[in-house]
């Protein structure tokens, strides 16, 4: 039985009732955007705002998916029946920039998580950062509204897009592995700044202690407490994810961080800045669409002619078009 043609509100209700296929359909619509995506945002928003969002980021092949799978299991055990289960959004690094897909040995999410009580969704980057930056908060909202808690987001951390997406989490985990300069690479990619918790994965390998020391050193150097701002020093957890070693420690640190966020009021501050980020992203999108439509109208064509005849620069034409719009 297909869910196509079924009113969105009904699909939502079925997802609330626990129908996994309905939830999958909602997430597809959110990813696609447009009117249905907007409707889902409207329906899910009042019910959302409860779940703890955990971001997991790090270099390609660091073991993020393996950790995510293990962490989801640990979280599920810890939270028990108090929620429907653990949600996972894996941002698939299919874009040529991230290069994650070139690693032959990457773990597919459905290999590590295949049980009732966990809902896994992959989203492709498709090279467009703007779409993803809006789709991810939308997906979190849907999972949250049907009572998945926590929701774990896996992204490859190599650039600004990933750092932005890491910014959508309450608790951001940065994964590094032993090896010369890996911590330095993470620093260059801007990941150290966003880290609430560090993981040194593949800790059974030589160099794990060095990686830990490098991180400690960088934390010392980077420690510039802002007056009046609560201080959190990111703990470093050593894991061998393939064997599940260190995962319970990691989950305890996530819980510690969540408590700290709540006690200090940081949780609200972070969520507020996320809402602002999403709202601004949406404004960009909406204004862009309105402007582009206007540019194709006779008014826009007229302006283009004046650009062609060198009477106006493209910049001035854009400004004139906007001024005209805003009148
Ligand atoms: N030796 C060792 N290998 C590990 C460990 N954790 C993960 N791996 C292996 O590392 C490879 C990559 O793991 P993934 O979990 O796919 O890494 P990822 O960071 O999600 O990779 P991408 O999504 O492609 O960026 C797999 O072959 C894992 O089995 C570990 O603790 N020790
Ligand atoms: Mg992965």
């Amino acid at each position: 039985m297909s869910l196509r043609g079924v009113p969105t509100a009904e699909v939502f209700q079925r997802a609330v009732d626990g129908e996994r296929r309905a939830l999958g359909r909602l997430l597809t619509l959110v990813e696609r955007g447009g009117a249905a995506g907007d409707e889902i945002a409207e329906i899910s928003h009042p019910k959302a705002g409860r779940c703890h969002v955990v971001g997991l980021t790090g270099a390609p092949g660091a073991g993020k998916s393996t950790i995510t799978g293990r962490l989801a299991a640990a979280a599920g055990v810890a939270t028990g029946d108090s929620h429907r289960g653990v949600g996972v959004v894996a941002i698939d690094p299919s874009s040529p920039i991230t290069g994650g897909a070139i690693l032959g040995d990457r773990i597919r999410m459905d290999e590590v998580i295949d049980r009732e009580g966990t809902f896994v969704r992959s989203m492709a980057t498709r090279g467009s950062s703007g779409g993803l930056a809006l789709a991810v908060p939308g997906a979190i909202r849907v999972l949250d509204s049907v009572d998945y808690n926590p929701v774990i987001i896996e992204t490859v951390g190599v650039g600004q897009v990933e750092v932005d997406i890491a910014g959508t989490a309450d608790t951001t985990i940065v994964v590094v592995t032993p090896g010369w300069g890996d911590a330095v690479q993470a620093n260059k990619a801007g990941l150290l700044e966003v880290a609430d918790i560090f993981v040194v994965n593949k800790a059974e390998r030589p160099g794990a202690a060095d990686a830990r020391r490098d991180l400690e050193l960088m934390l010392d150097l980077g420690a510039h407490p802002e007056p009046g701002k609560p201080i959190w020093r990111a703990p470093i957890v050593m894991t061998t994810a393939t064997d599940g070693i260190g995962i319970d420690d990691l989950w305890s640190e996530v819980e510690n961080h969540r408590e700290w966020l709540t006690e200090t009021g940081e949780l609200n501050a972070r969520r507020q800045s996320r809402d602002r980020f999403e709202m601004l992203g949406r404004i960009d999108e909406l204004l862009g669409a309105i402007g582009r439509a206007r540019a194709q109208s006779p008014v826009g064509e007229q302006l283009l002619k004046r650009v062609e005849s060198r009477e106006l620069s493209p910049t001035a034409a854009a400004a004139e078009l906007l001024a005209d719009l805003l009148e």
Side-chain angles (χ1 to χ4, degrees):
M1 191 189 58
S2 164
L3 286 165
R4 273 167 222 285
V6 176
T8 311
E10 193 186 324
V11 180
F12 187 81
Q13 188 52 49
R14 291 197 201 176
V16 169
D17 294 340
E19 198 184 303
R20 292 169 73 92
R21 226 162 34 89
L23 180 54
R25 175 83 187 139
L26 288 178
L27 292 171
T28 301
L29 292 173
V30 163
E31 205 175 353
R32 206 174 284 163
D38 290 351
E39 197 185 342
I40 294 166
E42 286 308 305
I43 302 174
S44 56
H45 182 70
K47 295 191 160 67
R50 294 169 297 177
C51 86
H52 191 72
V53 183
V54 179
L56 229 135
T57 188
K64 299 177 296 297
S65 297
T66 314
I67 295 171
T68 301
R70 296 279 186 172
L71 198 62
V77 171
T79 52
D81 292 335
S82 53
H83 296 286
R84 189 186 301 277
V86 179
V88 174
V89 180
I91 313 297
D92 192 4
S94 55
S95 99
I97 327 161
T98 62
I102 56 169
L103 291 174
D105 67 345
R106 59 197 304 258
I107 300 290
R108 286 166 44 107
M109 270 306 174
D110 46 12
E111 288 170 10
V112 280
I113 310 176
D114 182 19
R115 45 189 206 98
E116 196 56 28
T118 307
F119 195 93
V120 182
R121 177 68 182 213
S122 291
M123 285 190 170
T125 44
R126 278 195 245 103
S128 111
S129 57
L132 197 64
L134 291 177
V136 171
I140 296 171
R141 185 157 42 233
V142 166
L143 288 165
D144 184 358
S145 66
V146 302
D147 199 27
Y148 280 89
N149 189 359
V151 171
I152 304 175
I153 317 288
E154 176 195 334
T155 53
V156 174
V158 287
Q160 192 55 45
V161 180
E162 288 75 14
V163 171
D164 284 349
I165 289 168
T168 63
D170 299 315
T171 299
T172 299
I173 302 173
V174 171
V175 183
V176 303
T177 49
W180 186 82
D182 201 16
V184 180
Q185 289 304 327
N187 196 6
K188 268 194 204 148
L191 290 179
L192 292 203
E193 270 166 53
V194 300
D196 297 305
I197 299 171
F198 287 106
V199 167
V200 177
N201 189 42
K202 309 195 184 184
E204 83 283 5
R205 292 193 173 169
D210 294 341
R212 181 189 189 114
R213 207 201 39 231
D214 286 353
L215 287 173
E216 294 279 12
L217 214 67
M218 267 185 265
L219 281 173
D220 290 341
L221 288 174
H224 304 300
E226 286 175 46
K229 258 202 115 187
I231 298 170
W232 170 265
R233 181 173 170 112
I236 303 170
V237 182
M238 312 297 278
T239 61
T240 302
T242 33
D243 297 335
I245 296 171
I247 299 298
D248 286 344
D249 291 345
L250 179 56
W251 177 247
S252 318
E253 292 296 359
V254 171
E255 289 191 307
N256 286 344
H257 186 248
R258 189 182 52 213
E259 272 165 35
W260 177 84
L261 286 172
T262 314
E263 281 163 12
T264 56
E266 259 298 287
L267 188 65
N268 286 338
R270 284 188 186 199
R271 292 191 169 175
Q272 205 177 66
S273 80
R274 251 151 58 190
D275 289 342
R276 186 189 310 274
F277 181 78
E278 194 185 349
M279 190 173 100
L280 291 178
R282 188 68 177 155
I283 289 172
D284 282 351
E285 192 186 61
L286 289 173
L287 280 183
I290 294 170
R292 274 189 296 277
R294 189 67 169 175
Q296 281 169 357
S297 74
V299 178
E301 295 301 331
Q302 206 56 46
L303 284 167
L304 264 181
K305 285 217 178 77
R306 289 166 64 197
V307 173
E308 238 170 84
S309 68
R310 305 279 145 187
E311 183 195 333
L312 279 181
S313 73
T315 311
E320 201 162 306
L321 185 108
L322 268 185
D324 183 62
L325 252 183
L326 293 174
E327 253 171 30

